[in-house]
């Protein structure tokens, strides 16, 4: 079944990767899914009109940025419109910038009536500007940032030269992908379809698990939802990175699997629970035609790790390897559909903690046509889960491991920073122990359960 351009039916449904996001947004949690970026542009005289035009060019090129997602008689739909975002240009001082960016980030999109992108330009000087973007996750994933930024730069340079951007035509658009995806998965109600088989796998894999991890919160969860977040940083040097890669190769696994093992161990200790379910994300771009598209192709994959069934750390690594491979082979079951098939309170989340590992780009020092483009911290963090670990593995220009860094995002309404910092320290200690390469017993009290099984 080829992924190619195809006729558009009257009703284009959501892609599977969009369903949980739409469901959350429909329940009043739209702002949870805002993806916020701000880029500082320096080095040449800023052409504000060209920058505004470039935003419009990119919105025209990538259909998800000008798509509404209303609820219809046939369910949520994708409706592409011709609306372009208004992009205000404001003279801003360095002192005013942080507050303006923070306020800009907190927009609550109405997906039924608003296109899922906002943009504004802050002029700080003749050769200094900040372009701020807020894009709803239903239209953008992490792998979309690079093509989005690349196309923005291409369009800006063209518009500043008085020309329209000369795009390489995209092989398909997001609605083509959506229709192809549904056709390849088949009917969820058909037990022999790919969709039905994947749903059956997850229903079996998650049966009997605790509906909630007993997180030791510092404060009870408030009645009114509060997603203000903060982050605790973590970093591992190039030598630890290299040692982890070496051990991953020896166990026929990956760096992600070792980090996931450390995460499961730390969560088991932190919660006192030996049956830990967490989530990660899959890119969902296994077709070359999707490489340069802006859209949301990523989805959650759950990982249930049974610490009580591992005899030692080596055995646990092997379990995580098997769980990871099985999960990645069943990536297309939307969470709202899965929740309806599990015997648990629908108000309980499928997971409370995530760990996502991405590969950072090598630092090459290249700056397009003399422009310096750097990301500016927004100062606002949205923590929609209890723990959200975001890590990046970095390599130098020669391809050698250069270290791993990132941070753990958490809701400040539930945890004190000291509590989370203690968890991060324990996670880092497990990572270093795994890098040492020596088999070790499970830490108490988790090891006590394994010892009883011998």
């Amino acid at each position: 079944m080829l992924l190619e351009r195809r006729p558009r039916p009257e009703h284009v449904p959501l892609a599977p990767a969009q369903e949980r996001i739409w469901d959350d947004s429909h329940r009043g949690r739209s702002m949870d899914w805002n993806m916020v970026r701000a880029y500082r542009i320096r080095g040449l005289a800023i052409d504000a009109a060209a920058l505004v035009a470039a935003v419009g060019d990119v919105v025209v090129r990538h259909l998800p940025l000008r798509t509404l997602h209303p609820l219809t008689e046939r369910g949520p739909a994708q409706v592409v419109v011709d609306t372009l975002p208004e992009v205000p240009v404001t003279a801003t001082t360095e002192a005013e910038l942080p507050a303006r960016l923070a306020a800009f980030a907190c927009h609550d999109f109405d997906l039924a009536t608003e296109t899922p992108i906002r943009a504004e330009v802050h002029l700080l000087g003749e050769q200094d500007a900040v372009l701020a973007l807020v894009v709803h996750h239903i239209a953008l994933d992490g792998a979309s940032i690079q093509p989005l930024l690349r196309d923005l730069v291409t369009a800006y340079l063209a518009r500043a030269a008085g020309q329209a951007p000369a795009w390489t035509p995209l092989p398909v658009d997001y609605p083509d992908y959506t229709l192809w995806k549904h056709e390849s998965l088949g009917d969820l109600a058909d037990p022999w379809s790919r969709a039905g088989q994947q749903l059956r796998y997850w229903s079996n894999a998650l049966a009997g698990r605790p509906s909630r991890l007993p997180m030791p919160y510092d404060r009870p969860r408030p009645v009114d939802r509060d997603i203000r977040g903060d982050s605790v940083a973590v970093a591992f040097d190039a030598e630890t990175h290299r040692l982890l890669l070496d051990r991953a190769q020896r166990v026929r696994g990956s760096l992600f699997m070792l980090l996931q093992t450390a995460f499961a161990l730390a969560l088991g200790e932190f919660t006192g629970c030996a049956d830990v379910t967490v989530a990660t994300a899959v890119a969902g771009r296994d077709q070359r035609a999707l490489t340069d598209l802006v859209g949301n192709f990523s989805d959650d994959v759950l990982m249930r790790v049974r610490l009580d069934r591992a005899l030692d750390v080596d055995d646990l690594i092997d379990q995580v390897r098997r769980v990871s491979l099985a999960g990645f082979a069943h990536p297309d079951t939307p969470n709202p559909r899965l929740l309806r098939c599990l015997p648990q309170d629908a108000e309980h989340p499928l997971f409370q903690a995530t760990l996502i590992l991405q590969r950072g780009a090598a630092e090459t020092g290249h700056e397009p046509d003399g422009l310096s483009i750097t990301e500016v911290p927004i100062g606002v963090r949205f923590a929609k889960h209890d723990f959200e670990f975001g890590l990046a593995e970095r390599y130098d220009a020669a391809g050698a491991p250069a270290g791993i860094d990132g941070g753990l995002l958490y809701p400040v309404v539930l945890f004190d920073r000291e509590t989370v910092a203690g968890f991060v320290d324990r996670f880092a200690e497990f990572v270093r122990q795994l890098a040492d390469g020596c088999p070790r017993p499970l830490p108490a009290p988790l090891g006590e359960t394994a010892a009883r099984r011998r």
Side-chain angles (χ1 to χ4, degrees):
M1 188 181 306
L2 292 177
L3 172 57
E4 58 188 358
R5 291 190 179 275
R6 58 184 66 203
R8 303 281 165 77
E10 181 179 350
H11 175 82
V12 178
L14 302 184
Q18 295 179 311
E19 290 192 21
R20 178 168 75 98
I21 297 169
W22 187 91
D23 190 70
D24 263 7
S25 299
H26 192 61
R27 293 169 180 265
R29 299 174 180 175
S30 180
M31 196 166 60
D32 291 21
W33 297 99
N34 284 1
M35 297 183 68
V36 189
R37 297 291 189 277
Y39 298 99
R40 193 154 193 165
I41 306 168
R42 291 168 166 166
L44 297 173
I46 300 300
D47 186 335
L51 199 51
V52 171
V55 173
D57 289 330
V58 170
V59 171
V60 170
R61 176 170 168 80
H62 295 286
L63 300 191
L65 301 178
R66 52 186 178 95
T67 297
L68 307 180
H69 303 84
L71 178 61
T72 72
E73 292 181 354
R74 299 175 61 182
Q78 299 181 57
V79 179
V80 179
V81 296
D82 293 329
T83 306
L84 299 182
E86 295 184 6
V87 185
V89 179
T90 308
T92 304
T93 66
E94 197 77 45
E96 294 170 335
L97 184 63
R100 292 191 176 184
L101 291 178
F104 178 68
C106 297
H107 179 72
D108 201 2
F109 284 100
D110 182 345
L111 297 180
T113 61
E114 286 184 274
T115 54
I117 181 172
R118 299 180 73 223
E120 62 181 18
V121 175
H122 297 275
L123 296 177
L124 290 92
E126 291 186 359
Q127 298 186 14
D128 192 358
V130 170
L131 172 65
L133 301 170
V134 180
V135 186
H136 199 279
H137 191 23
I138 203 167
L140 190 79
D141 59 16
S144 297
I145 299 298
Q146 184 174 352
L148 175 67
L149 186 58
R150 182 182 62 237
D151 286 352
L152 274 170
V153 171
T154 299
Y156 174 64
L157 295 175
R159 291 297 180 182
Q163 302 172 355
W167 305 118
T168 299
L170 295 170
V172 294
D173 289 317
Y174 194 80
D176 301 313
Y177 156 77
T178 301
L179 297 170
W180 167 82
K181 190 71 172 178
H182 280 283
E183 186 177 347
S184 65
L185 287 173
D187 188 351
L188 194 68
D190 177 2
W192 302 109
S193 69
R194 284 183 59 203
Q197 290 171 2
Q198 291 194 33
L199 180 61
R200 185 164 59 253
Y201 165 79
W202 288 113
S203 298
N204 292 333
L206 301 177
R209 73 191 184 107
S211 59
R212 271 191 181 273
L213 286 176
M215 291 281 204
Y217 302 115
D218 293 305
R219 287 168 292 281
R221 194 177 300 274
V223 175
D224 295 327
R225 185 168 172 76
D226 187 340
I227 59 170
R228 290 173 300 150
D230 197 3
S231 183
V232 173
V234 67
F236 304 98
D237 60 20
E239 178 64 10
T240 301
H241 189 183
R242 184 187 66 79
L243 291 172
L244 286 169
L245 290 172
D246 288 346
R247 185 166 192 184
Q249 186 176 32
R250 292 197 301 273
V251 299
R252 298 179 299 122
S254 66
L255 174 64
F256 167 79
M257 294 171 187
L258 291 185
L259 294 173
Q260 185 62 62
T261 300
F263 192 42
L265 285 167
L267 274 174
E269 275 198 348
F270 188 66
T271 62
C273 180
D275 188 346
V276 174
T277 298
V278 300
T280 190
V282 290
R285 294 176 184 251
D286 51 358
Q287 299 287 320
R288 180 170 293 184
L290 305 178
T291 302
D292 293 326
L293 262 63
V294 168
N296 181 25
F297 304 90
S298 67
D299 209 350
D300 300 322
V301 167
L302 302 184
M303 299 183 61
R304 182 183 183 183
V305 180
R306 297 296 301 269
L307 298 161
D308 54 347
R309 293 185 177 179
L311 298 178
D312 55 29
V313 171
D314 279 350
D315 193 31
L316 183 62
I317 293 172
D318 185 64
Q319 180 191 151
V320 170
R321 182 180 66 83
R322 289 182 281 107
V323 167
S324 300
L325 293 175
F328 295 153
H330 300 83
D332 300 307
T333 303
N335 288 354
R337 301 191 188 197
L338 180 54
L339 268 173
R340 292 195 291 268
C341 296
L342 293 176
Q344 70 174 63
D345 188 333
E347 293 302 314
H348 288 178
L350 282 173
F351 59 90
Q352 295 152 258
T354 68
L355 186 148
I356 296 174
L357 176 67
Q358 296 178 317
R359 180 160 178 161
E363 297 294 331
T364 63
H366 175 69
E367 295 179 349
D369 287 41
L371 285 178
S372 169
I373 302 175
T374 56
E375 191 165 350
V376 178
I378 293 294
V380 173
R381 298 182 176 97
F382 301 119
K384 53 186 176 289
H385 306 299
D386 290 347
F387 280 176
E388 299 177 45
F389 237 135
L391 299 172
E393 54 172 330
R394 305 197 182 277
Y395 296 83
D396 63 21
I404 305 166
D405 57 59
L408 179 60
L409 178 64
Y410 66 95
V412 297
V413 72
L414 296 178
F415 293 106
D416 293 332
R417 186 176 181 84
E418 293 76 13
T419 300
V420 179
F423 175 86
V424 171
D425 288 344
R426 193 63 179 136
F427 166 78
E429 179 59 29
F430 281 128
V431 170
R432 294 187 183 97
Q433 289 179 13
L434 292 175
D436 285 344
C438 299
R440 297 174 181 271
L442 292 173
L446 302 177
E448 296 172 2
T449 304
R452 288 196 295 269
R453 296 181 59 247
R454 290 189 178 95

